[in-house]
Amino acid sequence: MIRKLTEKDRSSVLEYLYQDPDFNIFLIGDIEAFGFNRDFQKVYGEFDDQGRYLGVYIKYRSNALYYSHLKRFNEAFLDIMFSDPFDFMSGKSDLMALIYPHLKGFRHRTMFFCSAHTMENDDPINEDSIRVVSTREECGKLYDLLANIEEFGTRKIERDIYIEDRMIGLGMGVILYIDHQGTIISTAATTAETTKNAMVVAVATKEEYRKQGYGSTLVKALMDLYINQKKKSLCLFYDNEEAGRIYKRLGFKDIGFWDMCDRIVG
């Protein structure tokens, strides 16, 4: 049976998802932050005959995620998906392999998924150069950086919508950046912060400033904030081997694979 979840299901669905907190970080983060009564978020659960969870599907704005502790996907979820279309979908790779054949007009890529519970690099961090995004103006500058980096797909999103989403998302994590003469030249952020962890996203540096350690500095600052101060772990995914080597030097370890699908435009 598949049904839409409500606030009454909060404790049971979180208990189910926290059995795999790293791979469910987005699902947990969205539920803890926005619950079940927002018009931009819908959560569905699948149950067996004894009322035990078999899977969870969430639609958050134009994003969708699916999780099951089993390697299974009930095609009955497709009616829900197609009746409320999305532009992006992501999830554990072995589960997305079951869903992707049904997503016409989408492309996907598989990425390494890793987590960190300790910092392996304790070199001093130049905190004076690091700033925290807190205003719409800063979100606009962030858009200007990311829209010029193809892998993020930010240019597909209207600038005003991106700014609004980032302002809302500030309650789910933190965005750090380094500024040079009024322009953001490097950034790293967290999102989907839960009671146990957070996801590192959007690690990016303007092309002419790369290979100067800005990205590493920002990721280290996030690790210090979360691992040392908040006592939470961090997760991230990557498909760039050079970036992977940097993350591993800082303390991240591969734990699996993550798939991201996005609608092909044009």
Side-chain angles (χ1 to χ4, degrees):
M1 178 188 70
I2 297 174
R3 65 172 174 83
K4 189 176 180 182
L5 302 185
T6 69
E7 192 62 39
K8 294 180 180 179
D9 300 297
R10 176 182 288 268
S11 60
S12 65
V13 71
L14 288 177
E15 181 181 4
Y16 172 67
L17 295 173
Y18 264 119
Q19 294 178 60
D20 195 357
D22 289 342
F23 280 102
N24 285 324
I25 188 169
F26 288 118
L27 278 160
I28 294 169
D30 287 342
I31 291 172
E32 288 185 343
F34 303 115
F36 306 87
N37 299 317
R38 302 293 188 97
D39 57 2
F40 56 78
Q41 176 163 291
K42 301 178 180 68
V43 188
Y44 298 85
E46 181 186 5
F47 303 85
D48 66 14
D49 293 339
Q50 284 73 48
R52 296 171 298 197
Y53 282 93
L54 294 174
V56 176
Y57 171 76
I58 190 169
K59 166 78 184 311
Y60 169 79
R61 298 190 184 277
S62 61
N63 298 275
L65 294 118
Y66 171 77
Y67 172 79
S68 173
H69 65 290
L70 305 169
K71 190 176 179 180
R72 71 185 303 279
F73 174 70
N74 186 341
E75 293 185 9
F77 274 112
L78 295 175
D79 289 338
I80 297 171
M81 293 179 177
F82 297 153
S83 66
D84 188 9
F86 49 83
D87 294 320
F88 307 94
M89 187 172 189
S90 60
K92 206 171 183 178
S93 292
D94 59 352
L95 296 175
M96 290 301 297
L98 304 176
I99 301 172
Y100 186 67
H102 302 286
L103 301 181
K104 306 303 179 183
F106 280 76
R107 60 187 175 187
H108 80 287
R109 56 179 173 149
T110 299
M111 312 185 72
F112 292 95
F113 193 95
C114 57
S115 66
H117 297 263
T118 60
M119 286 185 68
E120 300 296 333
N121 186 315
D122 57 1
D123 293 340
I125 301 170
N126 181 13
E127 297 182 357
D128 292 340
S129 66
I130 298 173
R131 302 181 186 181
V132 180
V133 168
S134 61
T135 68
R136 298 180 68 87
E137 180 183 2
E138 288 171 315
C139 289
K141 291 181 178 180
L142 190 67
Y143 177 90
D144 296 338
L145 169 63
L146 298 179
N148 287 301
I149 301 177
E150 181 65 29
E151 65 187 85
F152 290 105
T154 304
R155 68 180 64 183
K156 297 178 183 178
I157 307 171
E158 293 183 15
R159 195 173 191 269
D160 288 345
I161 293 176
Y162 176 88
I163 292 172
E164 188 64 30
D165 283 348
R166 292 291 74 73
M167 290 300 295
I168 293 173
L170 292 181
M172 300 177 67
V174 62
I175 304 173
L176 305 182
Y177 72 93
I178 295 173
D179 174 275
H180 179 67
Q181 297 181 348
T183 299
I184 292 180
I185 62 170
S186 188
T187 183
T190 58
T191 190
E193 182 173 350
T194 75
T195 58
K196 294 185 178 181
N197 54 13
M199 175 67 75
V200 177
V201 294
V203 180
T205 300
K206 199 171 182 180
E207 187 171 1
E208 58 266 39
Y209 293 94
R210 293 175 185 171
K211 299 187 183 300
Q212 298 181 42
Y214 292 118
S216 295
T217 295
L218 292 172
V219 173
K220 284 173 59 180
L222 290 175
M223 295 177 76
D224 179 61
L225 173 62
Y226 281 88
I227 295 173
N228 293 339
Q229 299 178 43
K230 293 190 174 188
K231 307 304 179 185
K232 298 182 180 184
S233 62
L234 286 174
C235 301
L236 60 79
F237 40 78
Y238 69 91
D239 60 359
N240 180 298
E241 291 186 4
E242 181 179 353
R245 286 192 291 270
I246 293 172
Y247 296 140
K248 289 174 184 177
R249 285 201 299 268
L250 296 177
F252 285 88
K253 294 177 174 59
D254 291 336
I255 60 173
F257 297 93
W258 186 261
D259 269 27
M260 300 181 68
C261 297
D262 65 303
R263 189 180 299 277
I264 299 172
V265 178

